[in-house]
Short mmCIF file of all heavy atoms in Angstrom, two decimals:
data_model
loop_
_atom_site.label_atom_id
_atom_site.label_comp_id
_atom_site.label_asym_id
_atom_site.label_seq_id
_atom_site.Cartn_x
_atom_site.Cartn_y
_atom_site.Cartn_z
N LEU A 13 175.19 167.43 163.56
CA LEU A 13 174.30 166.55 162.80
C LEU A 13 174.20 166.99 161.35
O LEU A 13 174.19 168.19 161.06
CB LEU A 13 172.90 166.55 163.41
CG LEU A 13 172.75 166.28 164.91
CD1 LEU A 13 171.28 166.33 165.29
CD2 LEU A 13 173.38 164.95 165.30
N GLN A 35 159.84 156.30 157.91
CA GLN A 35 161.10 155.93 158.56
C GLN A 35 161.98 157.16 158.79
O GLN A 35 162.60 157.31 159.84
CB GLN A 35 161.85 154.90 157.72
CG GLN A 35 163.05 154.29 158.41
CD GLN A 35 163.68 153.17 157.60
OE1 GLN A 35 163.02 152.50 156.80
NE2 GLN A 35 164.98 152.96 157.78
N PRO A 48 173.73 164.64 174.31
CA PRO A 48 174.19 164.52 175.70
C PRO A 48 173.36 165.33 176.69
O PRO A 48 173.28 164.99 177.86
CB PRO A 48 175.63 165.04 175.64
CG PRO A 48 175.65 165.95 174.45
CD PRO A 48 174.72 165.33 173.46
N LYS A 52 171.39 174.38 174.27
CA LYS A 52 171.07 175.74 174.71
C LYS A 52 170.57 176.59 173.55
O LYS A 52 169.84 177.56 173.74
CB LYS A 52 172.29 176.38 175.38
CG LYS A 52 172.63 175.72 176.71
CD LYS A 52 173.84 176.35 177.37
CE LYS A 52 173.99 175.86 178.82
NZ LYS A 52 173.99 174.40 178.94
N VAL A 57 171.95 175.10 159.25
CA VAL A 57 172.28 175.52 157.88
C VAL A 57 171.39 174.72 156.95
O VAL A 57 171.45 173.50 156.91
CB VAL A 57 173.76 175.23 157.55
CG1 VAL A 57 174.11 175.77 156.17
CG2 VAL A 57 174.68 175.81 158.61
N ILE A 68 173.08 185.60 158.41
CA ILE A 68 172.68 185.00 159.68
C ILE A 68 171.36 185.61 160.13
O ILE A 68 171.23 186.85 160.15
CB ILE A 68 173.76 185.26 160.76
CG1 ILE A 68 175.14 184.80 160.25
CG2 ILE A 68 173.41 184.56 162.06
CD1 ILE A 68 176.29 185.59 160.84
N ALA A 95 162.06 180.98 169.16
CA ALA A 95 162.67 182.30 169.23
C ALA A 95 163.98 182.31 168.46
O ALA A 95 164.63 181.27 168.29
CB ALA A 95 162.93 182.70 170.68
N LEU A 107 182.81 185.16 164.71
CA LEU A 107 183.63 183.98 164.48
C LEU A 107 183.96 183.82 163.00
O LEU A 107 185.08 183.46 162.63
CB LEU A 107 182.92 182.73 165.00
CG LEU A 107 182.81 182.60 166.53
CD1 LEU A 107 181.89 181.45 166.90
CD2 LEU A 107 184.19 182.39 167.17
N LYS A 132 160.33 170.69 163.61
CA LYS A 132 159.02 170.36 164.19
C LYS A 132 159.00 168.93 164.69
O LYS A 132 158.29 168.61 165.66
CB LYS A 132 157.90 170.56 163.15
CG LYS A 132 157.41 171.98 163.03
CD LYS A 132 156.25 172.09 162.05
CE LYS A 132 154.97 171.48 162.58
NZ LYS A 132 154.41 172.23 163.73
N HIS A 156 182.79 176.43 152.73
CA HIS A 156 181.80 175.97 153.70
C HIS A 156 182.42 175.07 154.77
O HIS A 156 182.01 175.10 155.93
CB HIS A 156 180.63 175.29 152.98
CG HIS A 156 179.79 176.26 152.20
ND1 HIS A 156 180.15 176.69 150.94
CD2 HIS A 156 178.66 176.93 152.53
CE1 HIS A 156 179.26 177.57 150.52
NE2 HIS A 156 178.34 177.72 151.46
N GLN A 161 184.52 175.07 160.47
CA GLN A 161 185.66 175.11 161.38
C GLN A 161 185.61 176.35 162.26
O GLN A 161 185.92 176.30 163.46
CB GLN A 161 186.96 175.09 160.57
CG GLN A 161 187.26 173.76 159.91
CD GLN A 161 188.47 173.82 158.99
OE1 GLN A 161 188.72 174.83 158.34
NE2 GLN A 161 189.23 172.73 158.93
N ILE A 173 174.83 172.19 166.28
CA ILE A 173 174.99 172.61 164.88
C ILE A 173 174.40 171.54 163.99
O ILE A 173 174.75 170.35 164.09
CB ILE A 173 176.48 172.86 164.56
CG1 ILE A 173 177.03 173.98 165.46
CG2 ILE A 173 176.66 173.21 163.08
CD1 ILE A 173 178.51 174.24 165.29
N VAL A 174 173.48 171.95 163.11
CA VAL A 174 172.74 171.02 162.26
C VAL A 174 172.87 171.45 160.81
O VAL A 174 172.58 172.60 160.46
CB VAL A 174 171.24 170.99 162.65
CG1 VAL A 174 170.48 170.02 161.73
CG2 VAL A 174 171.06 170.61 164.11
N HIS A 225 179.88 158.52 141.03
CA HIS A 225 178.47 158.87 140.86
C HIS A 225 178.06 160.13 141.64
O HIS A 225 176.87 160.35 141.90
CB HIS A 225 177.57 157.69 141.23
CG HIS A 225 177.68 156.55 140.27
ND1 HIS A 225 177.21 156.61 138.97
CD2 HIS A 225 178.26 155.32 140.40
CE1 HIS A 225 177.47 155.47 138.36
NE2 HIS A 225 178.11 154.67 139.19
#
Side-chain angles (χ1 to χ4, degrees):
L13 309 180
Q35 189 174 333
K52 291 180 169 53
V57 184
I68 307 151
L107 289 170
K132 277 183 71 67
H156 290 82
Q161 289 173 325
I173 299 176
V174 179
H225 292 291

